[in-house]
Amino acid sequence: MSTQESYLRCTVCERETDHVVVYAGRFVSEIVCTTCGARTRLDVSEAYLPDLRHRISTKPVRLLRRLRQDPAELASTLPSRTLSKPWRMLQELRAVQRSRRP
């Protein structure tokens, strides 16, 4: 799960304001207005699992590409990213689960 801030028009308060956009993998799962707190949840569960399978199957190729481009950077970040990956995946799965709730 990752978040980004974006300047959007809120459908509740009708103002153009900052919003927090929550991603589950490559999909927007939730948008939160920072002014009024309105949440828009988008059910990404149908598209998420096929995308996750694709990301898992292409990971070796992507790692090899990064190894060729910058071996020192990969060697320095891989241990910490490997240890943090279960936590990041859990956050992503929770975002997908939240997107399914009414």
Short mmCIF file of all heavy atoms in Angstrom, two decimals, residues 36-70:
data_model
loop_
_atom_site.label_atom_id
_atom_site.label_comp_id
_atom_site.label_asym_id
_atom_site.label_seq_id
_atom_site.Cartn_x
_atom_site.Cartn_y
_atom_site.Cartn_z
N CYS A 36 -12.93 17.82 4.26
CA CYS A 36 -14.15 17.36 4.93
C CYS A 36 -14.06 15.92 5.44
O CYS A 36 -14.94 15.46 6.16
CB CYS A 36 -15.37 17.51 4.01
SG CYS A 36 -15.40 16.35 2.63
N GLY A 37 -13.01 15.19 5.06
CA GLY A 37 -12.84 13.82 5.52
C GLY A 37 -13.64 12.78 4.76
O GLY A 37 -13.66 11.62 5.15
N ALA A 38 -14.30 13.18 3.69
CA ALA A 38 -15.10 12.23 2.90
C ALA A 38 -14.18 11.16 2.30
O ALA A 38 -13.10 11.44 1.80
CB ALA A 38 -15.84 12.96 1.79
N ARG A 39 -14.63 9.91 2.39
CA ARG A 39 -13.87 8.78 1.85
C ARG A 39 -14.62 8.17 0.67
O ARG A 39 -15.82 7.92 0.76
CB ARG A 39 -13.71 7.68 2.90
CG ARG A 39 -12.83 8.06 4.03
CD ARG A 39 -12.69 6.90 5.01
NE ARG A 39 -11.89 7.30 6.13
CZ ARG A 39 -10.56 7.28 6.16
NH1 ARG A 39 -9.90 6.85 5.11
NH2 ARG A 39 -9.90 7.69 7.22
N THR A 40 -13.88 7.94 -0.37
CA THR A 40 -14.41 7.23 -1.52
C THR A 40 -13.61 5.95 -1.65
O THR A 40 -12.40 5.99 -1.83
CB THR A 40 -14.28 8.06 -2.81
OG1 THR A 40 -14.93 9.30 -2.63
CG2 THR A 40 -14.87 7.33 -3.99
N ARG A 41 -14.29 4.82 -1.48
CA ARG A 41 -13.62 3.53 -1.58
C ARG A 41 -13.97 2.89 -2.91
O ARG A 41 -15.12 2.88 -3.33
CB ARG A 41 -14.04 2.62 -0.43
CG ARG A 41 -13.47 3.09 0.88
CD ARG A 41 -13.66 2.06 1.96
NE ARG A 41 -12.93 2.46 3.14
CZ ARG A 41 -13.46 2.59 4.34
NH1 ARG A 41 -14.75 2.34 4.51
NH2 ARG A 41 -12.73 2.94 5.36
N LEU A 42 -12.95 2.36 -3.57
CA LEU A 42 -13.12 1.72 -4.87
C LEU A 42 -12.77 0.24 -4.72
O LEU A 42 -11.67 -0.09 -4.28
CB LEU A 42 -12.21 2.37 -5.91
CG LEU A 42 -12.35 3.89 -6.02
CD1 LEU A 42 -11.19 4.48 -6.76
CD2 LEU A 42 -13.65 4.22 -6.71
N ASP A 43 -13.69 -0.64 -5.04
CA ASP A 43 -13.46 -2.07 -4.89
C ASP A 43 -12.49 -2.54 -5.97
O ASP A 43 -12.83 -2.60 -7.15
CB ASP A 43 -14.78 -2.84 -4.98
CG ASP A 43 -14.62 -4.31 -4.66
OD1 ASP A 43 -13.48 -4.77 -4.46
OD2 ASP A 43 -15.65 -5.00 -4.61
N VAL A 44 -11.28 -2.87 -5.55
CA VAL A 44 -10.24 -3.29 -6.49
C VAL A 44 -9.98 -4.80 -6.39
O VAL A 44 -9.07 -5.30 -7.03
CB VAL A 44 -8.93 -2.52 -6.25
CG1 VAL A 44 -9.12 -1.05 -6.51
CG2 VAL A 44 -8.39 -2.76 -4.86
N SER A 45 -10.79 -5.50 -5.62
CA SER A 45 -10.51 -6.91 -5.34
C SER A 45 -10.51 -7.79 -6.58
O SER A 45 -9.72 -8.73 -6.69
CB SER A 45 -11.48 -7.46 -4.30
OG SER A 45 -12.81 -7.31 -4.73
N GLU A 46 -11.37 -7.51 -7.54
CA GLU A 46 -11.43 -8.33 -8.75
C GLU A 46 -10.17 -8.20 -9.60
O GLU A 46 -9.69 -9.17 -10.17
CB GLU A 46 -12.65 -7.96 -9.59
CG GLU A 46 -13.96 -8.32 -8.95
CD GLU A 46 -14.19 -9.82 -8.86
OE1 GLU A 46 -13.81 -10.53 -9.82
OE2 GLU A 46 -14.71 -10.26 -7.83
N ALA A 47 -9.64 -7.00 -9.69
CA ALA A 47 -8.47 -6.76 -10.53
C ALA A 47 -7.16 -6.98 -9.79
O ALA A 47 -6.12 -7.21 -10.41
CB ALA A 47 -8.51 -5.34 -11.07
N TYR A 48 -7.20 -6.93 -8.46
CA TYR A 48 -5.98 -6.99 -7.67
C TYR A 48 -5.26 -8.34 -7.77
O TYR A 48 -4.06 -8.39 -7.97
CB TYR A 48 -6.27 -6.66 -6.20
CG TYR A 48 -5.04 -6.74 -5.32
CD1 TYR A 48 -4.10 -5.72 -5.34
CD2 TYR A 48 -4.81 -7.85 -4.52
CE1 TYR A 48 -2.97 -5.80 -4.55
CE2 TYR A 48 -3.68 -7.93 -3.73
CZ TYR A 48 -2.77 -6.90 -3.75
OH TYR A 48 -1.65 -6.98 -2.97
N LEU A 49 -5.98 -9.44 -7.60
CA LEU A 49 -5.32 -10.75 -7.58
C LEU A 49 -4.63 -11.10 -8.90
O LEU A 49 -3.48 -11.56 -8.88
CB LEU A 49 -6.30 -11.85 -7.17
CG LEU A 49 -6.66 -11.83 -5.68
CD1 LEU A 49 -7.66 -12.92 -5.37
CD2 LEU A 49 -5.43 -11.97 -4.82
N PRO A 50 -5.26 -10.88 -10.06
CA PRO A 50 -4.52 -11.12 -11.31
C PRO A 50 -3.28 -10.22 -11.43
O PRO A 50 -2.23 -10.66 -11.91
CB PRO A 50 -5.53 -10.81 -12.41
CG PRO A 50 -6.86 -10.98 -11.77
CD PRO A 50 -6.67 -10.58 -10.34
N ASP A 51 -3.40 -8.97 -10.97
CA ASP A 51 -2.25 -8.07 -11.02
C ASP A 51 -1.16 -8.54 -10.07
O ASP A 51 0.03 -8.49 -10.42
CB ASP A 51 -2.69 -6.65 -10.65
CG ASP A 51 -1.54 -5.68 -10.72
OD1 ASP A 51 -0.99 -5.49 -11.84
OD2 ASP A 51 -1.17 -5.12 -9.67
N LEU A 52 -1.53 -9.02 -8.89
CA LEU A 52 -0.55 -9.53 -7.94
C LEU A 52 0.18 -10.74 -8.52
O LEU A 52 1.41 -10.84 -8.41
CB LEU A 52 -1.23 -9.90 -6.62
CG LEU A 52 -0.31 -10.46 -5.53
CD1 LEU A 52 0.75 -9.43 -5.15
CD2 LEU A 52 -1.12 -10.86 -4.31
N ARG A 53 -0.54 -11.65 -9.15
CA ARG A 53 0.10 -12.80 -9.80
C ARG A 53 1.11 -12.34 -10.85
O ARG A 53 2.21 -12.88 -10.95
CB ARG A 53 -0.96 -13.69 -10.46
CG ARG A 53 -1.66 -14.59 -9.51
CD ARG A 53 -2.54 -15.59 -10.26
NE ARG A 53 -3.69 -15.86 -9.44
CZ ARG A 53 -4.91 -15.40 -9.65
NH1 ARG A 53 -5.17 -14.66 -10.70
NH2 ARG A 53 -5.90 -15.67 -8.83
N HIS A 54 0.72 -11.34 -11.62
CA HIS A 54 1.62 -10.81 -12.66
C HIS A 54 2.86 -10.19 -12.03
O HIS A 54 3.98 -10.42 -12.49
CB HIS A 54 0.88 -9.79 -13.52
CG HIS A 54 1.74 -9.20 -14.59
ND1 HIS A 54 2.49 -8.07 -14.40
CD2 HIS A 54 1.98 -9.61 -15.85
CE1 HIS A 54 3.15 -7.80 -15.50
NE2 HIS A 54 2.86 -8.71 -16.39
N ARG A 55 2.67 -9.41 -10.98
CA ARG A 55 3.82 -8.78 -10.31
C ARG A 55 4.76 -9.82 -9.72
O ARG A 55 5.99 -9.67 -9.80
CB ARG A 55 3.33 -7.84 -9.20
CG ARG A 55 2.72 -6.57 -9.76
CD ARG A 55 1.98 -5.72 -8.75
NE ARG A 55 2.55 -5.67 -7.43
CZ ARG A 55 1.83 -5.51 -6.31
NH1 ARG A 55 0.53 -5.40 -6.37
NH2 ARG A 55 2.42 -5.46 -5.15
N ILE A 56 4.21 -10.89 -9.16
CA ILE A 56 5.05 -11.95 -8.59
C ILE A 56 5.82 -12.67 -9.69
O ILE A 56 7.02 -12.94 -9.56
CB ILE A 56 4.20 -12.93 -7.76
CG1 ILE A 56 3.71 -12.25 -6.48
CG2 ILE A 56 4.99 -14.20 -7.43
CD1 ILE A 56 2.68 -13.04 -5.72
N SER A 57 5.15 -12.98 -10.79
CA SER A 57 5.79 -13.73 -11.87
C SER A 57 6.86 -12.92 -12.59
O SER A 57 7.80 -13.49 -13.14
CB SER A 57 4.76 -14.25 -12.86
OG SER A 57 4.16 -13.19 -13.56
N THR A 58 6.73 -11.60 -12.61
CA THR A 58 7.73 -10.77 -13.30
C THR A 58 8.82 -10.24 -12.38
O THR A 58 9.75 -9.59 -12.83
CB THR A 58 7.05 -9.58 -14.01
OG1 THR A 58 6.39 -8.77 -13.02
CG2 THR A 58 6.08 -10.05 -15.06
N LYS A 59 8.74 -10.53 -11.09
CA LYS A 59 9.72 -10.01 -10.13
C LYS A 59 11.15 -10.43 -10.46
O LYS A 59 12.06 -9.60 -10.41
CB LYS A 59 9.34 -10.43 -8.70
CG LYS A 59 10.17 -9.77 -7.64
CD LYS A 59 9.93 -8.28 -7.64
CE LYS A 59 10.52 -7.65 -6.40
NZ LYS A 59 10.27 -6.20 -6.38
N PRO A 60 11.42 -11.70 -10.79
CA PRO A 60 12.81 -12.06 -11.12
C PRO A 60 13.39 -11.25 -12.28
O PRO A 60 14.55 -10.82 -12.23
CB PRO A 60 12.72 -13.54 -11.48
CG PRO A 60 11.50 -14.03 -10.78
CD PRO A 60 10.55 -12.86 -10.79
N VAL A 61 12.58 -11.00 -13.29
CA VAL A 61 13.05 -10.21 -14.44
C VAL A 61 13.33 -8.78 -14.02
O VAL A 61 14.34 -8.19 -14.41
CB VAL A 61 12.01 -10.26 -15.59
CG1 VAL A 61 12.39 -9.33 -16.72
CG2 VAL A 61 11.83 -11.67 -16.08
N ARG A 62 12.45 -8.22 -13.19
CA ARG A 62 12.65 -6.84 -12.73
C ARG A 62 13.88 -6.72 -11.84
O ARG A 62 14.64 -5.75 -11.92
CB ARG A 62 11.41 -6.32 -12.03
CG ARG A 62 10.26 -6.11 -13.02
CD ARG A 62 9.01 -5.56 -12.37
NE ARG A 62 8.33 -6.61 -11.62
CZ ARG A 62 7.90 -6.51 -10.37
NH1 ARG A 62 8.07 -5.40 -9.70
NH2 ARG A 62 7.28 -7.52 -9.78
N LEU A 63 14.12 -7.72 -10.98
CA LEU A 63 15.32 -7.71 -10.14
C LEU A 63 16.58 -7.82 -10.99
O LEU A 63 17.57 -7.13 -10.73
CB LEU A 63 15.28 -8.85 -9.13
CG LEU A 63 14.48 -8.62 -7.88
CD1 LEU A 63 14.39 -9.89 -7.06
CD2 LEU A 63 15.08 -7.50 -7.05
N LEU A 64 16.56 -8.67 -11.99
CA LEU A 64 17.71 -8.81 -12.88
C LEU A 64 17.99 -7.50 -13.61
O LEU A 64 19.14 -7.09 -13.76
CB LEU A 64 17.47 -9.94 -13.87
CG LEU A 64 18.63 -10.32 -14.78
CD1 LEU A 64 19.85 -10.71 -13.96
CD2 LEU A 64 18.22 -11.45 -15.71
N ARG A 65 16.93 -6.82 -14.06
CA ARG A 65 17.09 -5.54 -14.73
C ARG A 65 17.74 -4.51 -13.80
O ARG A 65 18.65 -3.80 -14.18
CB ARG A 65 15.74 -5.02 -15.22
CG ARG A 65 15.85 -3.76 -16.07
CD ARG A 65 14.50 -3.24 -16.54
NE ARG A 65 13.66 -4.30 -17.07
CZ ARG A 65 12.39 -4.49 -16.70
NH1 ARG A 65 11.81 -3.71 -15.82
NH2 ARG A 65 11.68 -5.47 -17.23
N ARG A 66 17.28 -4.47 -12.55
CA ARG A 66 17.87 -3.54 -11.57
C ARG A 66 19.31 -3.90 -11.27
O ARG A 66 20.15 -3.02 -11.07
CB ARG A 66 17.05 -3.53 -10.28
CG ARG A 66 15.74 -2.79 -10.44
CD ARG A 66 14.99 -2.67 -9.16
NE ARG A 66 15.77 -1.96 -8.17
CZ ARG A 66 15.54 -2.02 -6.85
NH1 ARG A 66 14.57 -2.76 -6.39
NH2 ARG A 66 16.29 -1.34 -6.02
N LEU A 67 19.61 -5.20 -11.23
CA LEU A 67 20.98 -5.64 -10.98
C LEU A 67 21.91 -5.17 -12.10
O LEU A 67 23.02 -4.71 -11.83
CB LEU A 67 21.02 -7.17 -10.87
CG LEU A 67 22.39 -7.79 -10.62
CD1 LEU A 67 22.95 -7.34 -9.27
CD2 LEU A 67 22.30 -9.31 -10.68
N ARG A 68 21.43 -5.25 -13.33
CA ARG A 68 22.25 -4.80 -14.46
C ARG A 68 22.42 -3.28 -14.47
O ARG A 68 23.48 -2.77 -14.81
CB ARG A 68 21.62 -5.24 -15.78
CG ARG A 68 21.74 -6.70 -16.04
CD ARG A 68 21.10 -7.06 -17.35
NE ARG A 68 21.14 -8.50 -17.57
CZ ARG A 68 20.25 -9.17 -18.27
NH1 ARG A 68 19.24 -8.53 -18.85
NH2 ARG A 68 20.36 -10.46 -18.42
N GLN A 69 21.37 -2.55 -14.10
CA GLN A 69 21.42 -1.09 -14.14
C GLN A 69 22.29 -0.51 -13.02
O GLN A 69 23.07 0.40 -13.26
CB GLN A 69 20.02 -0.50 -14.05
CG GLN A 69 19.19 -0.71 -15.29
CD GLN A 69 17.76 -0.25 -15.11
OE1 GLN A 69 17.31 0.06 -14.02
NE2 GLN A 69 17.02 -0.22 -16.21
N ASP A 70 22.12 -1.01 -11.82
CA ASP A 70 22.85 -0.44 -10.68
C ASP A 70 23.04 -1.50 -9.60
O ASP A 70 22.29 -1.56 -8.63
CB ASP A 70 22.07 0.76 -10.12
CG ASP A 70 22.89 1.59 -9.16
OD1 ASP A 70 24.00 1.17 -8.80
OD2 ASP A 70 22.41 2.67 -8.77
#
